[in-house]
Amino acid sequence: MNIIFNFFNNILGSIFNLTGDWGIAIILLTILVRIILFPFSIKQKSEMYNQQRISQKIQDIKTKYKNNEKKVKEETVKYEQELAKSTLGCLVTFIQLPVLFTLYNVVMKMPVQVGTIILPWVSSIKMHDSYYIIPIIYGLVSICPQLITNLDYFKVLKEVKLSKTNLIITSIFSILITIKAPIALGLYFITTSLFTLFEEIGYRFYIKKFNVLSSNS
């Protein structure tokens, strides 16, 4: 962990030397981390998309042969084997945990109380936001990747209808974990969520284009 701490501490310090602002440095560091994790994230999205596609095929088979259980088993066995091959799961989330803990330590060990030009109402990014603006922003931004899956333009499969309860729970949870957290971590969470949003939009554009090309070929 010390190696990771020193690595990110040095990178954060180098970015600060270029920008002169710790808030901007944290945002750029977060973007850098997500760019490094980008191949893993895309691979994870591809597996999730493949799982949804296979699950949809299995459901279609069950509907088509609903009165023939033997035929259903024959037709679905190969798809069920494919589903069992998925290995990535929440890999990207788990990879980010050491980064999150390291960033927290880096921030808390800063020798001075510093603000940032992008949050003029903040006196120190080591403290929580007493105006609760950061938690509210994160609460709203965190649900955006889920919201676009319910927009017809971005749908790539017959996806499960978005649950309002899940949105509310996600938003409340996001607010709770940032309401007393250092503002620096709030910046990390917000930047990560925005990166995830644009990544999701880009991936769905790619899948839609791929599906169109496949259907025309």
Side-chain angles (χ1 to χ4, degrees):
M1 187 64 75
N2 286 335
I3 296 176
I4 299 176
F5 173 83
N6 292 332
F7 176 72
F8 283 110
N9 191 37
N10 291 335
I11 292 180
L12 187 62
S14 298
I15 298 175
F16 171 74
N17 290 335
L18 291 174
T19 63
D21 187 286
W22 285 109
I24 295 175
I26 289 170
I27 291 173
L28 293 178
L29 174 63
T30 305
I31 293 173
L32 176 62
V33 169
R34 287 309 304 256
I35 290 174
I36 293 172
L37 295 177
F38 183 74
F40 299 100
S41 182
I42 292 300
K43 179 64 175 176
Q44 178 179 312
K45 288 182 186 297
S46 297
E47 283 205 3
M48 291 176 64
Y49 170 75
N50 193 47
Q51 283 185 324
Q52 292 173 347
R53 181 180 59 81
I54 293 172
S55 296
Q56 186 173 307
K57 285 186 176 181
I58 291 175
Q59 187 58 47
D60 290 342
I61 290 172
K62 288 180 178 179
T63 301
K64 183 177 180 180
Y65 301 108
K66 60 182 179 180
N67 297 320
N68 190 338
E69 187 176 341
K70 182 179 179 181
K71 186 67 174 177
V72 170
K73 288 183 178 179
E74 290 176 353
E75 294 290 328
T76 60
V77 62
K78 62 179 180 180
Y79 294 122
E80 289 174 347
Q81 289 174 349
E82 284 187 52
L83 279 177
K85 293 179 181 178
S86 179
T87 56
L88 288 182
C90 300
L91 177 63
V92 175
T93 302
F94 287 127
I95 291 177
Q96 287 189 83
L97 290 178
V99 179
L100 179 61
F101 291 131
T102 300
L103 180 59
Y104 178 82
N105 287 328
V106 169
V107 170
M108 297 313 293
K109 291 182 180 180
M110 284 179 178
V112 293
Q113 300 284 337
V114 292
T116 172
I117 192 172
I118 58 178
L119 304 174
W121 68 91
V122 170
S123 60
S124 173
I125 59 173
K126 295 175 67 173
M127 301 172 61
H128 69 274
D129 187 355
S130 58
Y131 293 99
Y132 306 114
I133 296 175
I134 292 296
I136 291 173
I137 292 175
Y138 181 51
L140 295 173
V141 171
S142 64
I143 62 176
C144 288
Q146 297 180 54
L147 285 174
I148 66 168
T149 65
N150 209 43
L151 298 177
D152 291 337
Y153 185 77
F154 291 107
K155 286 183 178 179
V156 293
L157 288 170
K158 296 177 182 177
E159 295 173 283
V160 178
K161 189 175 181 181
L162 189 63
S163 169
K164 292 182 180 179
T165 302
N166 287 343
L167 285 179
I168 293 172
I169 291 175
T170 299
S171 185
I172 292 175
F173 179 75
S174 299
I175 291 173
L176 289 177
I177 65 174
T178 51
I179 200 166
K180 290 297 182 180
I183 289 170
L185 289 189
L187 288 175
Y188 173 83
F189 286 132
I190 291 171
T191 306
T192 296
S193 289
L194 287 173
F195 194 99
T196 300
L197 172 63
F198 291 118
E199 188 180 79
E200 185 70 27
I201 291 173
Y203 183 75
R204 285 175 179 270
F205 272 128
Y206 167 76
I207 289 296
K208 286 171 70 73
K209 183 177 180 181
F210 178 78
N211 288 341
V212 170
L213 292 175
S214 297
S215 61
N216 292 335
S217 60

